[in-house]
Amino acid sequence: MTTQHLAARRQLESGQLRAAGARGLVVATGVLGSIATGWLVARGLWFLAAAVLLAVPMFVTLHRRPTVALAIWLAITPLVTVTESGAIRRIFWLVHRALPVVVLIMLIVSVLIGLRERFTVRLGWPEVLAVGYLVATVLSLLYTGVDVGLSATHIYDRIFIPIVLYILVRLLEPDEGALRKLVPLVIFVLLLEILVGVLTWTSPGVLPDAWLNRAGERTSGTLRETNLYGVTVFTAGVFLLHAAMSDSWSAMQKRVLVWCTGAGFAMAAFTFSRAVWLAAAVTMIGLMGLYPRFVRRFVVVTAFVLLIAIPSGMLQSQIDLAQNRFRSESSEESALSRLPVMAASVRMFEARPAFGFGYENFDRFDIIFQRRVGNLYIPEKDHASHNVFLTILAEQGAVGIVLFLGPFGYWLAQSVRFRDRLPDHGLLGRQLVWILWLLVLAQVIVYNFSRLQVAFGFGLLWLMLGLVGSVLTLSIRKHETLSVSGAESHASARSHRS
């Protein structure tokens, strides 16, 4: 028997084994699903029984198009993160806490049993650093934690799941088609947040109480956090702007996408958060280098709207709020009261520079390290931390902050190093990478003024980093493939001439 026949036979046997494994997996899933459904119904857990019944069709859908899981997370998580309803909280469990993990496990198992081809991407140092930060945080909690159960839940929601989302994006490497399909979803999320934001000012009674914590003062949408709301709406807007400028849309579609971008920045202004204003301004300056025509038009339209709205008194209450954010004594006190806490963070790091005081232990020890800050402010009460990075530095020391920032530093260096290999045009072009870094910078700015504790914010941050990594690895691989193909063609031509 020839070598070719042996290879063909082995390939046939391998295919038969894969088919048998697939059939066995389907049968086992059906049997276990039936047993689980009956047990859950008997226990009165009908909602979980319904989830089990939907498991098989969802498995098929997610197996064929696993990027659907990312779309589901983006669409539903903002709506269920903050809630006082038990039923909606269960949706949060399914979408945020379960779906990313289930999809990742499904992908790995499918590769191991031969239902999917092996991943083309190779995970490396950024993933090692990310997982290292997770491990370091868990160890910090085990050794120094007080309320271990609650803190473990926070680690799962704010660190573990965002890293899982990041790894999913890295493994799946969404192409231009996948990003194009995200455009309607991003429009939906943006318009919904805008609608909820407007209703908090005009008709708050029609909204759930959980979304009204800052009604009449700030705009927080469905996310409770004004800073996160602001970052979310203008992040969605900037993505839609890039889509409008980088893909083939009709003139009307482009106009809609651009107006959505403007609406996102407008709603970010109505958060009345100085951190969001600064982040939006920096983002707009960055966009000037990428899409100057849009920025000029946005400035002109904004000035025109203000010229009409200010004399008419339509925005008088909002203008008074904006002035209050800058000139009032309460605003000054709010800003100065953070100085002793920031100084205390640095002193805590100096006291325990390697591993810090332990995860979520900042509020236990910071009052000990607070001092008078010159003649500016004398601390009279224990203020909460308003800086994510200084909090990590105080709680987890140099080890924690290096592991947390390591993946971002790695991909930023890679973005600069391989910028010439990125495509000039398209949804996955060079502009997307710089836009993603602009949006990461916007979150960094906000995190320097607020200790955001909403899981959706961290998930969004790590999703953007994963997309940066995917765009870079795809571009590098294509460039290497073209280089090898060109070298082979050149060698073949030389051999032919000889």
Side-chain angles (χ1 to χ4, degrees):
M1 187 177 291
T2 64
T3 304
Q4 291 180 346
H5 285 94
L6 285 172
R9 183 176 179 179
R10 288 172 182 170
Q11 187 174 5
L12 179 61
E13 292 175 351
S14 176
Q16 291 174 343
L17 286 174
R18 291 178 183 175
R23 288 193 296 270
L25 181 62
V26 170
V27 171
T29 302
V31 172
L32 293 175
S34 300
I35 295 173
T37 302
W39 183 83
L40 290 170
V41 171
R43 289 274 185 171
L45 302 174
W46 57 268
F47 53 90
L48 290 180
V52 171
L53 290 174
L54 293 173
V56 173
M58 282 297 295
F59 172 82
V60 174
T61 301
L62 294 174
H63 182 265
R64 292 179 178 177
R65 297 183 179 86
T67 52
V68 171
L70 301 176
I72 293 173
W73 186 90
L74 280 170
I76 297 180
T77 305
L79 303 178
V80 298
T81 296
V82 179
T83 179
E84 297 174 356
S85 168
I88 296 178
R89 193 63 181 172
R90 295 183 186 110
I91 299 176
F92 175 79
W93 269 84
L94 291 173
V95 174
H96 178 74
R97 293 179 174 172
L99 182 62
V101 178
V102 168
V103 172
L104 181 59
I105 294 173
M106 180 192 69
L107 290 175
I108 294 172
V109 172
S110 297
V111 170
L112 292 177
I113 65 176
L115 291 179
R116 294 182 64 91
E117 295 182 358
R118 292 188 176 274
F119 301 115
T120 56
V121 65
R122 292 183 179 181
L123 303 181
W125 279 112
E127 291 74 37
V128 171
L129 292 169
V131 174
Y133 176 66
L134 173 64
V135 172
T137 306
V138 172
L139 292 176
S140 175
L141 173 63
L142 293 176
Y143 278 99
T144 64
V146 177
D147 191 342
V148 176
L150 180 61
S151 296
T153 301
H154 293 164
I155 291 174
Y156 186 90
D157 287 342
R158 303 170 188 172
I159 300 177
F160 176 67
I161 292 298
I163 291 176
V164 169
L165 292 168
Y166 161 81
I167 293 175
L168 278 175
V169 176
R170 291 279 289 118
L171 293 177
L172 296 174
E173 289 188 323
D175 57 11
E176 288 201 1
L179 284 188
R180 203 175 198 277
K181 291 176 182 177
L182 279 180
V183 170
L185 174 66
V186 174
I187 293 175
F188 165 76
V189 173
L190 176 60
L191 294 182
L192 183 62
E193 291 297 336
I194 290 175
L195 175 63
V196 174
V198 171
L199 289 175
T200 57
W201 290 96
T202 59
S203 304
V206 303
L207 298 174
D209 292 338
W211 296 350
L212 300 176
N213 60 311
R214 305 304 295 271
E217 300 175 1
R218 309 277 189 92
T219 309
S220 57
T222 67
L223 298 167
R224 191 186 292 271
E225 284 274 1
T226 56
N227 291 320
L228 178 56
Y229 175 83
V231 169
T232 300
V233 290
F234 76 68
T235 293
V238 171
F239 174 79
L240 295 176
L241 174 66
H242 171 69
M245 301 299 180
S246 306
D247 206 351
S248 55
W249 306 91
S250 67
M252 178 60 70
Q253 289 172 329
K254 283 190 176 182
R255 196 172 293 114
V256 169
L257 294 176
V258 171
W259 277 101
C260 285
T261 303
F265 276 97
M267 292 307 297
F270 281 99
T271 61
F272 298 100
S273 165
R274 291 164 295 194
V276 171
W277 290 344
L278 178 59
V282 171
T283 304
M284 191 63 72
I285 292 171
L287 289 176
M288 177 65 79
L290 295 171
Y291 302 118
R293 187 177 178 183
F294 163 78
V295 176
R296 289 195 296 267
R297 288 187 175 183
F298 178 80
V299 171
V300 171
V301 171
T302 302
F304 178 74
V305 171
L306 291 177
L307 284 175
I308 295 176
I310 292 177
S312 67
M314 294 171 54
L315 300 176
Q316 190 56 50
S317 61
Q318 285 76 21
I319 293 172
D320 292 340
L321 282 171
Q323 292 178 337
N324 182 66
R325 294 294 293 156
F326 279 108
R327 299 179 181 177
S328 67
E329 292 183 5
S330 61
S331 175
E332 182 180 356
E333 195 275 340
S334 173
L336 294 178
S337 66
R338 302 178 186 185
L339 295 177
V341 184
M342 295 172 66
S345 304
V346 176
R347 295 189 186 101
M348 290 173 70
F349 169 69
E350 292 172 345
R352 296 185 183 178
F355 301 104
F357 284 78
Y359 182 70
E360 293 200 332
N361 281 341
F362 183 87
D363 293 335
R364 292 177 57 199
F365 298 101
D366 68 303
I367 191 63
I368 303 173
F369 294 88
Q370 289 190 32
R371 304 285 187 275
R372 173 173 178 163
V373 181
N375 294 322
L376 294 175
Y377 188 79
I378 303 174
E380 298 178 354
K381 62 180 181 178
D382 186 14
H383 289 272
S385 173
H386 285 82
N387 190 301
V388 169
F389 306 105
L390 289 179
T391 302
I392 294 176
L393 199 65
E395 292 183 344
Q396 298 177 265
V399 172
I401 197 69
V402 169
L403 291 174
F404 178 77
L405 295 178
F408 296 88
Y410 176 89
W411 286 121
L412 181 59
Q414 294 294 92
S415 300
V416 175
R417 179 184 176 187
F418 295 108
R419 62 187 182 277
D420 295 333
R421 300 188 183 183
L422 295 169
D424 293 329
H425 306 287
L427 276 175
L428 294 180
R430 183 179 293 112
Q431 292 87 350
L432 176 61
V433 172
W434 302 129
I435 277 176
L436 289 170
W437 280 120
L438 263 180
L439 297 174
V440 169
L441 176 61
Q443 286 217 35
V444 168
I445 290 172
V446 169
Y447 287 163
N448 271 286
F449 296 93
S450 176
R451 187 183 176 184
L452 294 182
Q453 296 177 318
V454 179
F456 177 74
F458 294 109
L460 186 63
L461 177 65
W462 283 91
L463 274 178
M464 291 191 293
L465 183 66
L467 191 54
V468 168
S470 293
V471 173
L472 285 171
T473 51
L474 275 172
S475 301
I476 293 169
R477 192 183 308 124
K478 288 181 180 179
H479 185 272
E480 291 175 348
T481 301
L482 291 174
S483 299
V484 171
S485 177
E488 290 177 350
S489 299
H490 182 67
S492 176
R494 289 183 58 185
S495 175
H496 182 71
R497 286 196 301 268
S498 300

